[in-house]
């Protein structure tokens, strides 16, 4: 969904396309690191607790750009979304 919004986002934040692509890359990188970690945590503490923790992280990440309307806020939000949504995956 963000791919079609990169141009307007970069215009609103006053950044170039080379920085805007980090909004996509950061989520993928955070997810790649967090998925096995969240799976291991789910095995240790229980999948329900980790899933709920992840959803709280996603809620915070969704609200963050409202309070930090900058490129850094958007980037941190995308990283937190990657981490939070990774809680839905369980290691087997």
């Amino acid at each position: 969904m963000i791919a079609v919004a990169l141009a307007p986002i970069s215009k609103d934040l006053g950044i170039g396309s080379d920085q805007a692509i980090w909004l996509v890359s950061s989520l993928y990188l955070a997810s790649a690191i967090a998925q096995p970690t969240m799976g291991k945590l789910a095995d240790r503490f229980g999948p329900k607790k980790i899933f709920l923790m992840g959803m709280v992280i996603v809620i915070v990440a969704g609200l963050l750009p409202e309070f930090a309307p900058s490129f850094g806020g958007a980037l941190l939000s995308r990283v937190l979304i990657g981490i939070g949504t990774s809680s839905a995956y369980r290691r087997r």
Side-chain angles (χ1 to χ4, degrees):
M1 288 190 308
I2 195 169
V4 296
L6 282 178
I9 289 171
S10 64
K11 183 180 174 189
D12 288 345
L13 294 176
I15 59 173
S17 59
D18 56 332
Q19 282 183 301
I21 198 66
W22 277 102
L23 295 173
V24 176
S25 301
S26 63
L27 181 123
Y28 288 142
L29 185 60
S31 292
I33 294 168
Q35 283 180 7
T37 305
M38 290 295 192
K40 188 168 187 169
L41 289 174
D43 288 344
R44 183 176 180 117
F45 299 109
K48 185 176 180 180
K49 287 181 184 178
I50 299 303
F51 178 73
L52 291 175
M53 179 194 69
M55 293 306 100
V56 168
I57 292 171
V58 170
I59 290 169
V60 169
L63 296 172
L64 183 65
E66 190 66 32
F67 299 105
S70 64
F71 175 69
L75 189 64
L76 179 59
S77 177
R78 295 293 291 176
V79 168
L80 290 175
I81 289 171
I83 293 169
T85 56
S86 292
S87 68
Y89 298 95
R90 186 162 178 229
R91 190 173 72 128
R92 300 254 181 228

